[in-house]
Amino acid sequence: MTFSHARHASLVFLAWWWSATALATPWEFGEPVTVSASRPGVFHHLEAAGRQSIALSAGAVAIVWEDNHDGAARTYVAWRAANKNEFVQQRLSEKQAAYEPAVTALPQGGFVFGWEEDGHVWVRAGGPAGLGAALKLSSAEAGQITLAAGEKGVYAAWAERSGRHMAIRCARLKAGVTLTAEPALAVTAPQDADQIYPALVVLKSAVVIAWEDRRDGHTVILHARTQDGRKFSKAQALNEQPKQRSQTLGRGTGAARVTLARLDAERAAAAWLDKRNFLGGYDVYAAQSEPGGGRFQQNELILDDFGRNIGQWHAAIAAQAGRQAVAWDDDRDGSSDIWLSWREASGWSENLAVPGAAGTGIQASPAMAMDEGGGLHLAWIEQQDANAPTRLRYIEARRVIQKSSASRVH
Amino acid sequence: MAKHTCFWPLLFALFSLSVMADPPDGYAFVSYDEGLAQARQDGRPMFLYFGRFGCGWCDKTNREAFSDKQLHRLYSDRYVLVYVDAESGKRLTLPSGERITEHELGARMKVLATPVFAWLERDGREIFQVPGIQSTRDFLLYDRFVSGGHYRKENIRDFLSRETR
């Protein structure tokens, strides 16, 4: 066999292997759709706390983002009604510069939106038929709002200034013709360090919150829950810490941007960026809670061998009926792509470059939701190069029956 | 007793500050936006320090390199000094006009382990970056590479190879 024959045979084998393993993924991806098109000088951002930038309600999809297309930062929602292909845009924020919008679906239908504007956090309810009045939740400088809903109601959490530092606040919202809010709860006693970037999930018996906390002299992901809606449990660490502190590495190696999803009625799933293997930058770790959300089980690295020596960013988790998947971006293939891993019986799958969200150009900042059928709904930011304008993209993936348990896809 | 009452909080405060890995004492580090505005105004390049809350390597570099008086004088004179917290949600505006956070700047500049030091043109374009603990001698060499204009003709690796031969 000549060298060229051998090379040809290798390529044929690789192509067969790729297609065979690609078929083993539990999702069938559709065609990507542009939600908000690129325009010169316009930059879109999906950056809600908890990466809560996409939600699903009775077949409708809502994606929230911020961009500067009218000359200042504003927050927007794009709706796609059930059985429609096109997204319709609407502005969420009012007159001031606005940032970091978040969204959650209401169990009875419709959505609740949150965002930062004029140094405070705001919410409003609505759906494709229209938006309700905006309600200010914070009483001091605040931002990084996130939202979640479930049997125990609709909740918002955010970071609010308390003296010199930011503290996590949480409030139950009352959805009606006009949205109202109960008085905000402090998640912990006052601390001499910042608490930022909360993530939230509502279970049948508890509201679980996680956040970045600097009280130990480095950033730790802490979590707590409330069962009665009046007081949160004592905060516990979500990201495992090394048994011995290193003189060289300081107090800790760093963790950031936790995201939560409802795994089932009584369990939460978490994913976050973690620098415990610090030389390769952030890795994506995940953990799932025990029933009731009071404790989380051991941390799990969800990267395959190709992802471990490279930095990851923007981890987002989605879950439904015991299934869970995590998306993020990294540039292991030379430019930033959206990657996906899902939990199987044996552990986290090898990593899949999302078809339509990988390849030439930059694909980053994923936000993801999972529907009742286990299908994925993924939004991300795309640009041709680092200096090009951005556009907001969306793809849907229908869950299919796996042909084998060997869904090993890189 | 009164002396002791004052002593312990002071000691605790000093210890706490020593591990926070803020910018080194005595240097006029400013925010990214302020630094970019200053650099555009006075024509100096920017020296960008990516730190992290609780970063031990940042603290070590602060103690062992930035405490040097020659380095202090040189960098304070020749550069607009910018500090970025790699985990922070503080907002900044890139030269392109895009508004992002300090954490996101880390993503864009591929900052992995902290500290990372980057030298930027006055318009914000990156000249080069180095990660990890650096010595006073390292920083003096990097300054020669930038202020001597060598970066316009060769990359940092070639420059260091020649200078340290």
Side-chain angles (χ1 to χ4, degrees):
Chain A
M1 186 183 272
T2 64
F3 173 74
S4 71
H5 282 127
R7 187 165 171 268
H8 179 73
S10 304
L11 288 172
V12 168
F13 172 77
L14 278 173
W16 168 83
W17 179 82
W18 174 268
S19 60
T21 52
L23 284 173
T25 65
W27 290 283
E28 187 177 276
F29 287 85
E31 287 296 313
V33 172
T34 297
V35 178
S36 180
S38 63
R39 281 179 262 186
V42 174
F43 300 99
H44 301 79
H45 300 110
L46 288 170
E47 54 184 357
R51 300 212 64 74
Q52 196 69 37
S53 302
I54 183 168
L56 314 170
S57 175
V61 180
I63 301 172
V64 294
W65 75 96
E66 169 266 315
D67 76 44
N68 61 329
H69 79 258
D70 81 344
R74 314 278 187 215
T75 61
Y76 300 90
V77 57
W79 321 94
R80 194 193 69 177
N83 302 318
K84 298 278 185 183
N85 289 325
E86 291 195 349
F87 282 88
V88 179
Q89 288 187 33
Q90 195 166 356
R91 184 159 139 184
L92 281 175
S93 54
E94 304 273 325
K95 294 178 180 172
Q96 305 298 317
Y99 306 94
E100 300 180 6
V103 60
T104 194
L106 294 170
Q108 67 272 30
F111 299 92
V112 171
F113 308 94
W115 69 95
E116 178 199 328
E117 181 168 353
D118 200 21
H120 285 275
V121 291
W122 299 75
V123 287
R124 72 191 333 162
L131 295 171
L135 172 71
K136 185 164 81 172
L137 292 180
S138 51
S139 54
E141 175 197 349
Q144 300 161 9
I145 187 169
T146 192
L147 298 158
E151 294 88 339
K152 294 186 83 68
V154 188
Y155 283 80
W158 63 93
E160 180 168 320
R161 182 158 298 285
S162 172
R164 289 179 56 220
H165 299 284
M166 303 302 282
I168 302 299
R169 298 280 184 263
C170 184
R172 185 167 189 260
L173 309 178
K174 294 178 189 169
V177 177
T178 303
L179 203 61
T180 59
E182 293 180 355
L185 296 172
V187 173
T188 72
Q191 301 293 323
D192 288 331
D194 283 333
Q195 301 175 333
I196 54 176
Y197 285 100
L200 197 56
V201 70
V202 179
L203 304 177
K204 194 172 180 184
S205 65
V207 177
V208 179
I209 187 167
W211 68 94
E212 295 175 28
D213 196 296
R214 293 184 164 192
R215 70 180 71 177
D216 290 341
H218 63 114
T219 303
V220 178
I221 308 295
L222 297 184
H223 69 95
R225 68 170 175 173
T226 177
Q227 292 176 294
D228 61 9
R230 292 194 289 272
K231 190 181 175 191
F232 277 89
S233 60
K234 188 181 173 190
Q236 301 178 66
L238 179 48
N239 62 319
E240 293 156 353
Q241 300 298 313
K243 288 193 177 121
Q244 287 191 313
R245 264 181 55 192
S246 156
Q247 288 294 325
T248 309
L249 298 179
R251 290 194 166 188
T253 50
R257 307 305 185 261
V258 63
T259 168
L260 291 175
R262 180 175 150 130
L263 185 57
D264 56 31
E266 284 297 4
R267 292 182 300 163
W272 65 94
L273 300 174
D274 197 310
K275 267 189 185 166
R276 66 185 73 178
N277 302 312
F278 58 95
L279 290 176
Y282 286 116
D283 291 326
V284 183
Y285 276 80
Q288 65 185 53
S289 80
E290 294 175 358
R295 296 180 65 87
F296 277 79
Q297 297 171 354
Q298 68 178 26
N299 296 179
E300 297 175 321
L301 177 65
I302 65 168
L303 303 173
D304 62 18
D305 291 342
F306 298 97
R308 286 179 190 182
N309 295 316
I310 199 161
Q312 278 74 34
W313 303 92
H314 311 112
I317 192 165
Q320 185 76 243
R323 299 186 182 109
Q324 52 183 317
V326 175
W328 67 91
D329 59 74
D330 72 43
D331 58 0
R332 70 183 76 178
D333 284 349
S335 64
S336 179
D337 297 319
I338 307 296
W339 291 86
L340 187 70
S341 182
W342 55 95
R343 192 72 163 76
E344 299 172 319
S346 57
W348 288 92
S349 74
E350 294 204 15
N351 305 160
L352 170 72
V354 174
T360 311
I362 296 169
Q363 288 82 209
S365 293
M368 188 166 62
M370 191 180 286
D371 61 35
E372 289 174 351
L376 292 177
H377 300 258
L378 183 71
W380 72 97
I381 304 297
E382 189 173 281
Q383 59 188 145
Q384 289 182 342
D385 60 59
N387 296 312
T390 58
R391 62 177 177 169
L392 176 58
R393 302 276 276 169
Y394 163 85
I395 200 168
E396 186 173 354
R398 193 170 61 88
R399 187 169 181 86
V400 292
I401 296 168
Q402 271 184 275
K403 294 192 172 179
S404 78
S405 60
S407 53
R408 300 289 180 194
V409 180
H410 167 63
Chain B
M1 188 62 200
K3 273 185 182 174
H4 287 95
T5 311
C6 295
F7 174 75
W8 288 110
L10 182 63
L11 186 67
F12 178 76
L14 287 171
F15 176 74
S16 300
L17 290 171
S18 72
V19 295
M20 295 306 166
D22 284 333
D25 288 340
Y27 286 77
F29 277 89
V30 297
S31 69
Y32 182 92
D33 283 353
E34 200 179 331
L36 193 59
Q38 270 187 34
R40 281 171 170 158
Q41 192 170 23
D42 67 22
R44 287 182 297 165
M46 294 162 69
F47 170 71
L48 197 157
Y49 181 153
F50 264 102
R52 181 181 58 77
F53 189 70
C55 163
W57 286 3
C58 307
D59 184 46
K60 183 175 170 67
T61 307
N62 289 353
R63 281 187 279 107
E64 296 179 4
F66 285 110
S67 57
D68 184 86
K69 286 181 181 169
Q70 184 195 359
L71 188 68
H72 179 279
R73 193 171 56 250
L74 200 70
Y75 270 63
S76 297
D77 287 348
R78 290 185 176 170
Y79 300 96
V80 175
L81 305 174
V82 171
Y83 183 82
V84 170
D85 175 343
E87 290 174 340
S88 168
K90 187 176 173 184
R91 297 191 183 104
L92 58 88
T93 303
L94 295 173
S96 65
E98 182 178 8
R99 190 277 314 157
I100 60 172
T101 64
E102 292 192 343
H103 177 75
E104 182 63 25
L105 184 64
R108 305 288 177 95
M109 292 181 69
K110 311 295 179 199
V111 169
L112 301 179
T114 51
V116 165
F117 304 98
W119 286 255
L120 311 179
E121 300 268 21
R122 64 179 176 172
D123 61 4
R125 277 179 300 161
E126 185 178 321
I127 299 171
F128 77 110
Q129 62 169 267
V130 291
I133 297 170
Q134 307 296 325
S135 67
T136 303
R137 181 170 172 271
D138 295 331
F139 281 119
L140 295 176
L141 273 169
Y142 301 144
D143 166 64
R144 285 228 305 278
F145 179 65
V146 174
S147 61
H150 297 277
Y151 70 91
R152 296 192 182 94
K153 296 171 283 188
E154 61 187 330
N155 64 38
I156 184 68
R157 189 178 298 172
D158 293 342
F159 174 79
L160 292 177
S161 161
R162 197 182 65 251
E163 290 290 312
T164 56
R165 203 176 293 152

